């Protein structure tokens, strides 16, 4: 920009500013300003035309007065007139006034736009820059509509000066952020990428910022920028600080440009070209090596610039997650920062290591720093750093260190800041449950949580411990003993009273043999807490008392006296009063057999994903991606294509729990249901009419639910008067609402859902992505599809001919998706073979948020093709369409069948017709590991039959394909030849189409 000469100085403005500064009071200042405004107004309205200098001076005074906080209602036209001046200083003041005072609704906007267009079309680079700066400063939608098409032309024009290119790139970036739908994507997009090769580093820096933003919106249009960015980064990293003197900041070569290039590369996966990838790895290694060199300056600016590049390089290494050596080196470098004296560096190191912990390559390296992280948790003065330490401990936790990490978190909980206590409680509860090898340890941990931070233990936490105790016979006695001892403390948190009342009401009989915990002692202990509790907890304790009457007839009289007391029968709370009246009446008129039936033990809960994990994700905000860290490690390092995975898909095929406890959050084995008599329920109907709605209530909610008196009479009896629900109520154990009577099975299961309209066949369909399709043949959970904008994850389960699939859509950007829709398309003949009901998705997905859609599936007959999930949404004004093949395959409806050797070979002979057998000999694509092969066969859905085949190296399996119309028996035999690295797979079923399809699916897994 030209320098302002001394002749351009405005003496009148300087005098006015001096007068304002010398004012002794606010009144004096206002008086001086009003005098000046009157003078300026008279000059503007005078007959004598003002020259450019005078206009500039008076407009400057108005601008100064506005900045002092006073309203300006005139002078706008004079400022617009300054735009037509040929003097830089006058034009500059005009643009400055417009940028600050003129809004987009002004009547002068058309005149302003004309002035800007004239300057953009001029040959004077200074005037072009002034116009571009004004457009960017205003940044309104009207500006974008007027100039969005002109600015790209200036940016890529061959005769544009470097300063103009810089301004044009940054101006276009501003308009793209404010009105992304108005920035056209045309031929200029390919040309703007080549600005990364520009000799002027200022142009490269501005262009990199623009390309990074545009690549997030349309990644395919800017793929070629990867190679150019790597080349430019390589030149910067390998150059000496003296080579880039104008862009060297405290001995660090072009740090801002380096950071921007590294961020641009994070918009794309690792380069496929070997040479480019090797060059990028070399750059990253050089950055890591420079971090180990002694500092060239002791000034903080040097270390800040150096560390900025280093952390961005580590972010790129984590993003690619493909170079084990770099990941481990990055982890070691971050480990050094954990003990750095700079708080910001410690914070950033902890935050980056949280992400590194999710990589299979660096997880073990992260674990080596556990002692340092624990020390930071105890000694850090900054609460934000301590919170990151908690996050890192949570991320690095696995079965080998879970007890140590949980113990340290519990220890820290006693002195933790109140702002993070609830989050720590949730994380301790999740880790204790996820890695519980010994359930007594889990019970002890949760009770310790309640004792230490009862106010921060949400209902989800104590609900979950109740579910697990009820589902595990081996821990019920220990849980009853432990809560009994915990309740003896003089001061107990109310959540502990809830857990104690529930568990003792169900399993108090398991410890009643000890005189120290006799029935009367248990009752007196619980009742001593009664008057200190809130109404919901008192209601739960009354339910526990009526359970005691069934468990311990000897305390019936004592409990009835409590129920008869005026404090219960005349209680001001209608819920407590109704419970007391109904329970008292029930205990008086019901026989022992009826009481035993009505007050029977709670049935096991269906296994499902822990609600604690969902609560933690909500608390952490929309940035949480899916699946969680442990699921990512399992998917990468222990999936069925490379290791053993006994997931949720195998739980139905497992007749007994494994030696180590299964992951309770995902796939704990379903316990055997206790017998539940149903016949006597008819005897209770005349006597217990208010309790008739029990079958629609889940056991836990019915034990402790709060609500109106009529509802509470039913919920109070939930665990006490359990009526066995129909199996159609919740076929998949997913707590779906109770079905309406009289409908078909499909209506019962899917009554809450409404199928969206099928995608129009006339619309041009995007290419169908099926890269990860085969990985889901033998598993049900994981990430199905991922690009720069969207991540799609699945979690599904199947039972007989029905299935339910949860599809998770994760917005990876910071911009919301609008008009979001996801529909399932089944082409003929699949449309008549498979019924899929999709619950409509929310049309808006916020930036960084996650959306869930439920698909309910019914297999009508055997099928070959797979349905397609069509997704479309508007991102940044651009319509995005994608199609992904859903991994719903025939084997998902294969239920395992146990058979002895004699039955197997008898059935094998019966299926001996040529059309019933399919045999395939194929080369192994993976290592021939016995455990992996077993996991794949079990994950495929068949029961693995040991000791059936005379050759112990062979694998034999059996199952039944369930469809709505028929059932198809299936027998398989897999013969590995490790020397030749070959397999022979033989499948026999009663239908030739089923045999062929299952053979194709299973052979593709080996």
């Amino acid at each position: 920009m030209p320098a302002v000469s001394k002749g351009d100085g405005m003496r009148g403005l300087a005098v006015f500013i001096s007068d304002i500064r010398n004012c002794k009071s606010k009144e004096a200042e206002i008086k001086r300003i009003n005098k000046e405004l009157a003078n300026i107004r008279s000059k503007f309205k005078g007959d004598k035309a003002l020259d450019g200098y005078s206009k500039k001076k008076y407009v400057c005074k108005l601008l100064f007065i506005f900045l002092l906080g006073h309203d300006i209602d005139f002078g706008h036209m004079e400022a617009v007139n300054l735009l037509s001046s040929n003097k830089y200083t006058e034009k500059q003041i005009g643009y400055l006034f417009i940028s600050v005072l003129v809004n987009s609704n002004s009547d002068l906007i058309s005149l302003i736009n004309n002035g800007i267009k004239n300057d953009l079309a001029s040959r004077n680079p200074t005037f072009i820059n002034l116009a571009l700066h004004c457009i960017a400063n205003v940044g309104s939608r009207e500006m974008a509509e007027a100039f969005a098409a002109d600015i790209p032309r200036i940016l890529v024009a061959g005769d544009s000066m470097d300063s103009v290119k810089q301004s044009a790139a940054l101006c276009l970036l501003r308009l793209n952020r404010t009105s992304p739908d108005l920035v056209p994507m045309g031929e200029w997009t390919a040309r703007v990428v080549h600005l990364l090769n520009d000799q002027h580093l200022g142009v490269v820096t501005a262009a990199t910022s623009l390309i990074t933003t545009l690549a997030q919106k349309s990644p395919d249009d800017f793929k070629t920028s990867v190679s150019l960015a790597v080349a430019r980064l390589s030149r910067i990293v390998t150059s000496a600080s003296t080579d880039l003197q104008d862009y060297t900041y405290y001995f660090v070569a072009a740090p801002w440009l380096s950071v921007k290039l590294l961020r641009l590369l994070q918009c794309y996966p690792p380069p496929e070209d070997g040479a480019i990838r090797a060059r990028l790895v070399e750059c990253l290694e050089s950055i890591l090596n420079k971090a180990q060199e002694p500092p060239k300056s002791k000034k903080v600016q040097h270390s800040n610039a150096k560390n900025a590049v280093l952390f961005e390089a580590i972010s790129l290494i984590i993003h690619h997650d493909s170079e084990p050596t770099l990941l481990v080196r990055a982890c070691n470098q971050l480990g050094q920062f954990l003990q750095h004296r700079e708080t910001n560096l410690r914070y950033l190191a902890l935050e980056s290591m949280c992400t590194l912990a999710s990589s299979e390559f660096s997880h073990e390296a992260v674990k080596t720093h556990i002692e340092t992280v624990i020390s930071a948790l105890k000694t850090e003065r900054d609460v934000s750093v301590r919170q990151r330490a908690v996050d890192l401990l949570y991320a690095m936790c696995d079965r080998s260190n879970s007890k140590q990490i949980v113990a340290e978190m519990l220890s820290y909980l006693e002195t933790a800041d109140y702002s993070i206590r609830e989050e720590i409680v949730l994380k301790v509860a999740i880790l204790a449950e996820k890695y519980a090898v010994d359930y007594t340890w889990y019970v002890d941990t949760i009770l310790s949580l309640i004792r230490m931070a009862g106010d921060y233990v949400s209902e989800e936490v104590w609900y979950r411990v109740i579910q697990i105790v009820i589902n595990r016979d081996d821990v019920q006695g220990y849980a009853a003993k432990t809560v009994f001892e915990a309740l003896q403390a003089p001061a107990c948190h109310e959540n502990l009273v809830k857990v104690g009342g529930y568990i003792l009401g169900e399993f108090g009989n398991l410890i009643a043999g000890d005189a120290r915990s006799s029935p009367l002692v248990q009752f007196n202990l619980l009742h001593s807490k009664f008057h200190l509790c809130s109404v919901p907890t008192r209601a739960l304790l009354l339910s526990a008392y009526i359970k005691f009457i069934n468990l311990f007839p000897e305390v019936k009289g004592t409990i009835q006296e409590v129920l008869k007391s005026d404090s219960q029968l005349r209680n001001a709370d209608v819920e407590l009063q109704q419970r007391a009246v109904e329970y008292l009446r029930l205990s008086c008129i019901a026989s022992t057999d009826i009481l035993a039936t009505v007050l029977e033990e709670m049935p096991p809960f269906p296994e499902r994903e822990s609600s604690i994990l969902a609560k933690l994700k909500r608390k952490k905000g929309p940035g949480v991606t899916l699946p969680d860290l442990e699921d990512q490690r399992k998917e990468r390092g222990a999936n069925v294509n490379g290791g053993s995975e006994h997931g949720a898909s195998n739980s139905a095929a497992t007749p007994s729990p494994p030696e180590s406890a299964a992951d309770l959050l995902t796939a704990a084995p379903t316990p055997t249901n206790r017998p539940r008599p149903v016949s006597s329920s008819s005897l209770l109907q005349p006597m217990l009419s208010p309790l008739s709605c029990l079958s629609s209530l889940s056991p836990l909610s019915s034990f402790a639910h709060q609500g109106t008196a009529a509802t509470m009479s039913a919920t109070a009896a939930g665990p006490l008067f359990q009526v066995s629900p129909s199996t159609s109520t919740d076929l998949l154990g997913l707590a779906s609402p109770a079905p309406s009577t009289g409908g078909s099975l499909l209506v019962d299961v899917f009554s809450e859902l409404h199928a969206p309209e099928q995608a129009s066949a006339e619309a041009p369909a995007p290419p169908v992505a099926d890269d990860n399709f085969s990985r889901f043949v033998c598993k049900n959970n994981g990430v199905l599809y991922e690009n720069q904008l969207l991540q799609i994850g699945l979690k599904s389960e199947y039972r007989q001919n029905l299935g339910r699939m949860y599809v998770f859509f994760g917005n990876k950007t910071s911009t919301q998706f609008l008009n979001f829709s996801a529909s399932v398309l089944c082409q003929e003949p699949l449309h008549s073979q498979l019924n899929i009901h999709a619950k409509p998705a929310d049309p808006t997905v916020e930036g960084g948020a996650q959306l869930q859609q439920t698909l309910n599936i019914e297999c009508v007959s055997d099928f070959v093709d797979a349905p397609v999930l069509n997704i479309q949404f508007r991102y940044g004004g651009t319509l995005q369409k994608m199609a992904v093949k859903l991994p719903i395959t025939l084997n998902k409806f294969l239920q395992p069948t146990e058979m002895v050797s004699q039955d197997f070979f008898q059935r094998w002979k019966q299926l001996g017709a040529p059309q019933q057998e399919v045999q395939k000999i194929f080369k192994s694509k993976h290592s021939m590991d016995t455990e992996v092969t077993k996991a794949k066969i079990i994950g495929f859905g068949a029961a693995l039959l040991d000791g059936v085949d005379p050759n112990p190296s062979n694998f034999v399996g059996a199952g039944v394909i369930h469809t709505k119309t028929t059932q198809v028996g299936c027998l398989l035999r897999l013969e590995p030849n490790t020397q030749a690295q070959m397999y022979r797979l033989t499948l026999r079923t009663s239908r030739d189409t089923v045999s062929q399809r299952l053979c194709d699916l299973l052979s593709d897994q080996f």
Side-chain angles (χ1 to χ4, degrees):
M1 294 285 179
V4 179
S5 66
K6 293 183 179 179
D8 292 326
M10 293 174 282
R11 177 171 175 77
L13 175 64
V15 171
F16 174 63
I17 294 175
S18 177
D19 290 347
I20 293 295
R21 288 177 176 173
N22 292 330
C23 289
K24 302 298 183 182
S25 64
K26 184 70 174 177
E27 291 76 13
E29 177 183 316
I30 294 175
K31 184 178 179 180
R32 178 68 181 89
I33 288 174
N34 288 336
K35 179 182 177 181
E36 191 65 36
L37 287 174
N39 178 53
I40 297 173
R41 196 185 301 270
S42 65
K43 294 292 184 181
F44 284 167
K45 290 185 177 181
D47 296 333
K48 186 179 179 180
L50 296 176
D51 58 8
Y53 170 80
S54 299
K55 284 183 183 178
K56 176 184 71 171
K57 179 178 64 174
Y58 293 135
V59 167
C60 265
K61 288 183 178 181
L62 291 176
L63 186 57
F64 179 72
I65 293 171
F66 175 79
L67 295 178
L68 289 177
H70 301 271
D71 292 333
I72 301 297
D73 57 0
F74 69 97
H76 299 75
M77 191 63 196
E78 284 71 17
V80 173
N81 290 337
L82 287 175
L83 298 186
S84 59
S85 172
N86 288 324
K87 289 187 176 181
Y88 167 76
T89 56
E90 295 175 6
K91 191 182 290 286
Q92 179 194 35
I93 296 301
Y95 275 121
L96 181 60
F97 186 93
I98 290 168
S99 300
V100 175
L101 272 86
V102 177
N103 58 50
S104 58
N105 298 323
S106 173
D107 297 333
L108 301 175
I109 198 70
S110 58
L111 292 175
I112 295 171
N113 286 350
N114 287 333
I116 293 175
K117 283 185 178 179
N118 292 334
D119 285 336
L120 289 179
S122 71
R123 307 290 296 177
N124 189 325
T126 305
F127 292 173
I128 297 175
N129 275 332
L130 284 174
L132 291 171
H133 293 171
C134 181
I135 296 171
N137 286 332
V138 176
S140 65
R141 189 169 184 84
E142 290 74 14
M143 286 286 187
E145 290 174 347
F147 304 111
D150 298 331
I151 299 173
R153 175 182 53 79
I154 297 174
L155 177 61
V156 298
D159 57 349
S160 295
M161 294 184 64
D162 292 336
S163 61
V164 174
K165 290 180 181 179
Q166 282 181 264
S167 300
L170 295 176
C171 182
L172 197 59
L173 174 62
R174 163 72 168 163
L175 295 183
N176 183 74
R177 287 174 176 170
T178 57
S179 305
D181 54 312
L182 297 180
V183 177
M185 305 292 285
E187 297 178 358
W188 65 273
T189 55
R191 298 176 63 186
V192 77
V193 171
H194 291 286
L195 290 178
L196 295 176
N197 274 336
D198 198 278
Q199 294 182 350
H200 194 279
L201 287 190
V203 175
V204 180
T205 304
T208 305
S209 297
L210 175 64
I211 293 170
T212 301
T213 302
L214 295 177
Q216 293 172 352
K217 182 171 72 172
S218 304
D220 292 339
D221 294 338
F222 297 92
K223 276 185 176 179
T224 54
S225 65
V226 173
S227 58
L228 298 178
V230 171
R232 173 63 77 173
L233 181 65
S234 177
R235 292 201 293 272
I236 294 173
V237 170
T238 57
S239 66
S241 58
T242 54
D243 297 341
L244 303 171
Q245 287 185 356
D246 293 339
Y247 288 88
T248 296
Y249 180 78
Y250 286 88
F251 303 101
V252 181
W256 284 277
L257 177 56
S258 301
V259 167
K260 290 178 183 293
L261 290 170
L262 290 166
R263 285 183 181 170
L264 172 59
L265 292 173
Q266 290 176 53
C267 296
Y268 294 94
E272 296 180 359
D273 185 279
I276 297 175
R277 188 165 182 168
R279 193 171 185 183
L280 177 58
V281 170
E282 183 182 354
C283 290
L284 296 173
E285 287 178 341
S286 298
I287 294 173
L288 292 175
N289 290 336
K290 288 183 178 180
Q292 300 292 334
E293 296 175 359
K296 297 179 180 179
S297 172
K298 293 182 179 180
K299 293 190 176 182
V300 68
Q301 292 91 337
H302 171 72
S303 60
N304 284 346
K306 188 176 177 182
N307 290 331
V309 178
L310 174 63
F311 275 101
E312 208 60 51
I314 291 175
S315 295
L316 179 61
I317 293 170
I318 296 172
H319 171 75
H320 284 173
D321 194 20
S322 59
E323 297 291 336
T325 305
L326 288 179
L327 284 163
V328 173
R329 285 195 61 187
C331 180
N332 294 335
Q333 181 63 53
L334 292 173
Q336 295 178 18
F337 287 142
L338 291 179
Q339 296 177 315
H340 199 278
R341 58 186 178 85
E342 284 289 334
T343 304
N344 289 338
L345 281 181
R346 296 197 300 273
Y347 179 94
L348 291 172
L350 289 167
E351 189 175 47
S352 299
M353 289 185 80
C354 285
T355 314
L356 272 176
S358 65
S359 171
E360 61 174 310
F361 303 118
S362 57
H363 180 71
E364 292 299 322
V366 171
K367 284 168 56 179
T368 60
H369 301 284
I370 184 170
E371 296 299 334
T372 307
V373 178
I374 291 173
S375 175
L377 186 64
K378 296 177 179 178
T379 60
E380 273 291 345
R381 289 177 295 178
D382 192 315
V383 62
S384 61
V385 180
R386 293 199 297 272
Q387 186 166 4
R388 292 288 81 79
V390 171
D391 292 342
L392 180 53
L393 285 175
Y394 176 77
M396 69 167 62
C397 187
D398 58 21
R399 297 197 184 279
S400 65
N401 57 17
S402 57
K403 287 194 175 184
Q404 179 188 5
I405 288 178
V406 168
E408 293 294 345
M409 284 189 173
L410 282 174
S411 175
Y412 173 63
L413 186 59
E414 297 182 10
T415 57
D417 297 82
Y418 294 109
S419 59
I420 62 174
R421 283 195 178 188
E422 184 180 4
E423 185 180 326
I424 296 175
V425 167
L426 291 174
K427 288 181 174 179
V428 169
I430 290 170
L431 295 179
E433 180 179 348
K434 181 183 277 287
Y435 302 115
V437 178
D438 180 1
Y439 286 93
T440 59
W441 171 73
Y442 170 74
V443 172
D444 290 338
T445 301
I446 300 300
L447 292 182
S448 297
L449 272 182
I450 297 175
R451 281 196 298 268
M452 294 178 184
D455 290 337
Y456 301 92
V457 175
S458 60
E459 289 187 339
E460 288 87 351
V461 175
W462 75 265
Y463 280 0
R464 190 64 177 167
V465 72
I466 292 295
Q467 292 175 12
I468 291 172
V469 169
I470 286 179
N471 286 11
R472 303 290 306 190
D473 295 338
D474 55 340
V475 79
Q476 289 163 1
Y478 180 81
K481 177 178 178 293
T482 306
V483 297
F484 175 78
E485 293 173 351
L487 286 172
Q488 294 180 22
C492 294
H493 193 275
E494 191 166 334
N495 281 336
L496 184 60
V497 177
K498 291 176 182 178
V499 175
Y502 200 109
I503 291 180
L504 292 180
E506 291 293 328
F507 311 114
N509 60 309
L510 300 178
I511 62 171
D514 191 333
R516 294 170 295 179
S517 55
S518 64
L520 187 58
V521 173
Q522 291 185 42
F523 170 73
N524 289 334
L525 181 60
L526 284 178
H527 196 55
S528 66
K529 315 292 182 184
F530 187 88
H531 65 287
L532 300 172
C533 298
S534 62
V535 170
T537 306
R538 292 185 186 186
L540 186 147
L541 289 177
L542 289 177
S543 298
Y545 296 169
I546 193 67
K547 293 283 276 191
F548 272 19
I549 291 179
N550 177 49
L551 293 176
F552 315 118
E554 62 268 28
V555 298
K556 178 176 181 180
T558 305
I559 294 176
Q560 285 179 336
E561 288 299 322
V562 172
L563 297 176
K564 287 178 183 177
S565 64
D566 285 349
S567 61
Q568 304 302 334
L569 297 181
R570 299 179 185 274
N571 196 294
D573 186 86
V574 65
E575 167 58 27
L576 295 181
Q577 183 187 110
Q578 186 168 354
R579 287 202 182 207
V581 171
E582 291 183 355
Y583 291 168
L584 177 61
R585 187 64 178 155
L586 175 65
S587 66
C588 293
I589 67 173
S591 66
T592 305
D593 291 339
I594 292 178
L595 275 178
T597 302
V598 177
L599 305 175
E600 67 173 335
E601 194 174 299
M602 281 288 292
F605 288 86
E607 290 297 339
R608 60 177 71 91
E609 182 181 4
S610 171
S611 59
I612 311 176
L613 192 58
K615 183 177 178 67
L616 178 63
K617 289 179 180 178
R618 291 195 302 270
K619 183 170 181 61
K620 291 297 285 183
V624 179
T625 58
L626 109 156
D628 64 281
L629 304 177
E630 179 69 14
D631 292 338
Q632 288 183 9
R633 292 199 292 269
K634 286 180 181 177
E635 182 185 346
R636 291 174 180 148
N639 59 35
V640 292
N641 288 323
S644 176
E645 174 179 285
H646 302 276
S649 58
N650 305 338
S651 60
T654 309
S656 60
E659 293 180 4
S660 62
D663 187 343
L664 295 172
L665 289 177
T666 53
T670 304
T672 305
N673 288 340
R674 302 177 181 85
R676 286 176 279 171
V678 185
S679 58
S680 60
S681 61
S682 59
L683 301 175
L684 303 175
Q685 294 305 320
M687 180 175 64
L688 302 175
S689 56
L691 310 174
S692 57
C693 60
L694 292 174
S695 60
S696 65
L697 298 170
S698 65
L700 184 60
S701 63
S702 51
F703 197 96
H705 183 68
Q706 308 170 29
T708 63
T711 307
M712 289 305 299
S713 65
T715 58
L720 312 176
F721 315 110
Q722 180 66 31
V723 179
S724 178
S726 167
T727 54
S728 65
T729 302
D730 194 7
L731 285 175
L732 300 178
L734 298 175
S736 56
S740 57
T741 56
S744 68
L745 178 63
L746 195 60
V747 173
D748 285 340
V749 177
F750 306 135
S751 59
E752 73 202 71
L753 306 176
H754 307 281
E757 296 180 2
Q758 293 291 338
S760 171
E762 300 175 0
V768 179
D770 59 355
D771 298 343
N772 295 332
F773 180 84
S774 63
R775 294 171 54 192
F776 283 83
V777 170
C778 293
K779 71 172 187 174
N780 292 332
N781 307 329
V783 177
L784 176 64
Y785 174 81
E786 185 170 12
N787 63 10
Q788 301 304 314
L789 305 178
L790 182 69
Q791 182 189 64
I792 303 176
L794 298 183
K795 189 165 189 177
S796 52
E797 53 185 332
Y798 298 85
R799 184 168 298 176
Q800 297 186 354
N801 69 312
L802 299 176
R804 181 169 291 173
M805 176 180 288
Y806 296 97
V807 187
F808 299 89
F809 303 97
N811 183 349
K812 298 174 61 178
T813 73
S814 58
T815 304
Q816 64 178 193
F817 295 162
L818 300 176
N819 302 329
F820 186 91
S821 66
S823 58
V824 180
L825 178 64
C826 295
Q827 301 282 5
E828 289 295 344
L830 183 63
H831 185 66
S832 59
Q833 298 168 339
L834 205 62
N835 286 335
I836 301 180
H837 295 252
K839 188 174 183 179
D842 194 315
T844 302
V845 186
E846 296 296 333
Q850 181 177 293
L851 175 70
Q852 175 181 323
Q853 185 179 34
T854 305
L855 307 181
N856 290 288
I857 308 152
E858 182 188 37
C859 179
V860 179
S861 62
D862 62 280
F863 59 95
V864 175
D865 298 325
V868 175
L869 180 66
N870 288 316
I871 306 109
Q872 68 176 25
F873 54 90
R874 194 165 290 279
Y875 169 75
T878 304
L879 184 64
Q880 304 284 340
K881 292 185 178 181
M882 53 198 73
V884 183
K885 186 184 288 188
L886 280 177
I888 303 176
T889 50
L890 185 59
N891 69 291
K892 300 297 182 183
F893 306 96
L894 177 63
Q895 297 294 306
T897 302
E898 296 291 339
M899 303 177 72
V900 298
S901 177
Q902 181 179 355
D903 295 338
F904 178 85
F905 285 111
Q906 181 180 356
R907 182 61 178 159
W908 184 268
K909 292 177 182 178
Q910 292 173 354
L911 298 173
Q915 67 273 16
Q916 294 176 328
E917 179 181 286
V918 173
Q919 190 173 89
K920 188 174 184 179
I921 300 174
F922 54 92
K923 188 78 172 177
S924 171
K925 295 183 291 186
H926 307 286
S927 61
M928 300 179 70
D929 184 272
T930 302
E931 294 302 320
V932 174
T933 304
K934 289 180 179 180
K936 289 179 180 179
I937 294 175
I938 295 174
F940 191 71
L944 192 62
L945 308 180
D946 295 327
V948 172
D949 196 295
N951 186 348
S953 299
N954 296 341
F955 303 92
V956 176
V960 176
I961 294 285
H962 290 264
T963 70
K964 185 178 180 181
T965 56
T966 186
Q967 294 184 0
V968 181
C970 169
L971 303 178
L972 66 88
R973 186 184 190 195
L974 182 67
E975 302 168 83
N977 185 335
T978 53
Q979 293 181 345
Q981 292 291 298
M982 302 281 285
Y983 284 104
R984 178 166 66 182
L985 174 62
T986 307
L987 264 155
R988 291 189 180 185
T989 74
S990 53
R991 299 192 65 170
D992 55 345
T993 55
V994 174
S995 301
Q996 186 62 55
R997 181 54 179 159
L998 292 181
C999 184
D1000 293 340
L1001 288 171
L1002 187 56
S1003 61
D1004 192 46
Q1005 300 300 305
F1006 297 99

